[in-house]
Amino acid sequence: MRMNEGVEWALHSCVNMTWLDPEEAVTAKRLAAFYELPAAYLNKQLQSLVKAGILTSISGPRGGFRLARRPDQITLLDIVTAIEGREDAFRCESILRKGPGGNPEVDYRAHCEISMTMRQAELAWRRELAGKTVADMAATVARKYPQAPDGTRARFASLRG
Amino acid sequence: MRMNEGVEWALHSCVNMTWLDPEEAVTAKRLAAFYELPAAYLNKQLQSLVKAGILTSISGPRGGFRLARRPDQITLLDIVTAIEGREDAFRCESILRKGPGGNPEVDYRAHCEISMTMRQAELAWRRELAGKTVADMAATVARKYPQAPDGTRARFASLRG
DNA sequence: GAATAATTACTCGGATAAGGTATGTCCGAGTCTCCAAGG
DNA sequence: CCTTGGAGACTCGGACATACCTTATCCGAGTAATTATTC
């Protein structure tokens, strides 16, 4: 059980975009150069965020990506779900159907005790992620490292791309 | 982010073993036949449970697997960890090292806000799983489906292997 | 000088390869059982 | 009848293939800025 690398990239990228002018678009190339990541692959991940309505994309010169809504309206769960998909990590395969008294018609995700318990645990995980927004992250970082916002803007400005 | 299929198999198998005589060993072949699973692969997963100290294995005729300790002493987290390993799903790659002010010496798992928040969410997940034991599962199933224990024993007895 | 139209360069977006992990299979080492032979 | 030795069969355990998903890359469609041209 291993989360996509893109989740980490997407989270950091979204927090970084918080420091920028809301109208300003940043290219995937610059976002990638920021952490020395592969640009084309990061671009692919950002596309997932666009489809999920988290980012807005702009084509052509002076194009790029920007946050589609206020940072306090974007939860970490939104980003994780956009990259990883909506399915649970534990996918109940309804193996009880093959056991004694198994019924092919029954949806065991709603009846199998193990399936429900595993689902409950994932809900706790999701609840935690849904309780934190990109704005929360940015605020904490800015408090602990006051130079971060300006430093980020400066770095973006200096990056060729 | 997709959990190993073996986790579901291991959970169901452990609950099933709860119904059996604690001294009685069940072969991987029978456990697999119970849900029509691939025997050799299930055997591989059960080996992980043995290494984790959850099951005890016995070689030779009349051999097989049995629970290494009381079902109320085996949490779902124990089983998940045995199969999936101890690492977090979200593995912080410390990409901040490459950013402005990045320090190659710093362990960002303890300083990166995003890393810590993701870790916190996984802790909530683990806490849920650690709070449920195999005995809890078995008890709930037995209450909802009183015929389950006898039915399970009967099925094991009827399986060739 | 201003408006307009063609050109150009730059961006995202999706289609296309490469690598790694989960899945699945196989055979050998060890061991318990069963059976037969001998006391 | 009881003991003992050996053959046999069965089990786990780990080494060996396969398939799928993640990771990575590339090129084309579209677009906005730019430049040259005309009025």
Side-chain angles (χ1 to χ4, degrees):
Chain A
M1 189 178 56
R2 189 172 155 184
M3 191 172 290
N4 279 9
E5 191 71 7
V7 171
E8 187 177 14
W9 303 353
L11 290 169
H12 280 280
S13 293
C14 284
V15 171
N16 279 342
M17 286 193 231
T18 300
W19 311 128
L20 301 176
D21 179 353
E23 296 303 316
E24 183 180 2
V26 189
T27 67
K29 195 186 279 186
R30 285 194 187 196
L31 282 167
F34 196 96
Y35 295 121
E36 301 180 13
L37 303 174
Y41 188 36
L42 176 63
N43 186 21
K44 191 181 181 68
Q45 310 286 6
L46 296 177
Q47 284 175 33
S48 299
L49 297 183
V50 172
K51 282 184 183 172
I54 297 168
L55 297 183
T56 299
S57 66
I58 300 154
S59 280
R62 304 285 296 169
F65 298 90
R66 61 179 179 78
L67 296 178
R69 54 181 189 265
R70 283 165 43 193
D72 62 354
Q73 296 297 315
I74 302 172
T75 71
L76 299 200
L77 180 61
D78 292 334
I79 294 173
V80 170
T81 301
I83 303 289
E84 286 290 340
R86 191 160 270 119
E87 286 196 24
D88 288 346
F90 180 89
R91 287 178 300 98
C92 175
E93 293 294 341
S94 296
I95 66 177
L96 288 180
R97 281 183 190 146
K98 305 284 188 168
N103 187 338
E105 306 293 327
V106 174
D107 179 8
Y108 282 99
R109 284 174 299 184
H111 290 81
C112 170
E113 188 62 22
I114 288 172
S115 178
M116 289 192 294
T117 304
M118 295 299 288
R119 189 181 199 78
Q120 195 69 19
E122 290 201 33
L123 277 176
W125 175 71
R126 284 196 162 77
R127 203 173 298 123
E128 285 285 318
L129 293 180
K132 299 281 186 176
T133 70
V134 171
D136 294 334
M137 297 292 105
T140 304
V141 171
R143 184 169 51 75
K144 291 168 74 173
Y145 308 100
Q147 74 281 9
D150 285 340
T152 298
R153 274 190 288 270
R155 171 118 175 184
F156 273 126
S158 72
L159 289 172
R160 286 291 112 215
Chain B
M1 190 179 54
R2 190 173 155 183
M3 191 172 291
N4 280 9
E5 191 70 8
V7 172
E8 187 178 13
W9 303 354
L11 289 169
H12 280 280
S13 294
C14 284
V15 170
N16 279 341
M17 286 193 232
T18 300
W19 312 128
L20 302 177
D21 178 354
E23 296 303 316
E24 183 181 3
V26 190
T27 67
K29 195 186 280 185
R30 285 194 187 197
L31 282 167
F34 197 96
Y35 295 120
E36 300 180 14
L37 304 173
Y41 189 35
L42 176 63
N43 185 21
K44 192 183 179 70
Q45 310 287 6
L46 296 177
Q47 284 175 33
S48 299
L49 297 183
V50 172
K51 281 185 183 171
I54 296 168
L55 297 183
T56 301
S57 65
I58 300 155
S59 280
R62 303 285 298 170
F65 298 90
R66 62 180 178 76
L67 296 178
R69 55 182 190 264
R70 283 166 41 193
D72 62 354
Q73 296 297 315
I74 302 172
T75 71
L76 299 200
L77 180 61
D78 292 333
I79 295 173
V80 169
T81 301
I83 303 288
E84 285 290 340
R86 191 160 270 121
E87 286 197 24
D88 287 346
F90 181 89
R91 286 178 298 95
C92 175
E93 294 294 343
S94 296
I95 66 178
L96 289 179
R97 281 183 190 144
K98 305 285 188 168
N103 186 338
E105 307 293 328
V106 174
D107 179 8
Y108 281 98
R109 284 175 299 183
H111 290 82
C112 169
E113 188 61 22
I114 288 172
S115 178
M116 289 191 294
T117 303
M118 294 300 287
R119 188 180 199 78
Q120 195 70 19
E122 289 201 34
L123 278 177
W125 175 71
R126 284 196 163 77
R127 203 174 297 123
E128 285 284 318
L129 293 180
K132 298 279 187 178
T133 69
V134 171
D136 294 334
M137 297 293 105
T140 303
V141 172
R143 184 169 51 75
K144 291 168 74 173
Y145 308 98
Q147 74 282 9
D150 285 339
T152 299
R153 273 190 288 268
R155 171 118 174 182
F156 273 127
S158 72
L159 290 171
R160 286 290 112 216

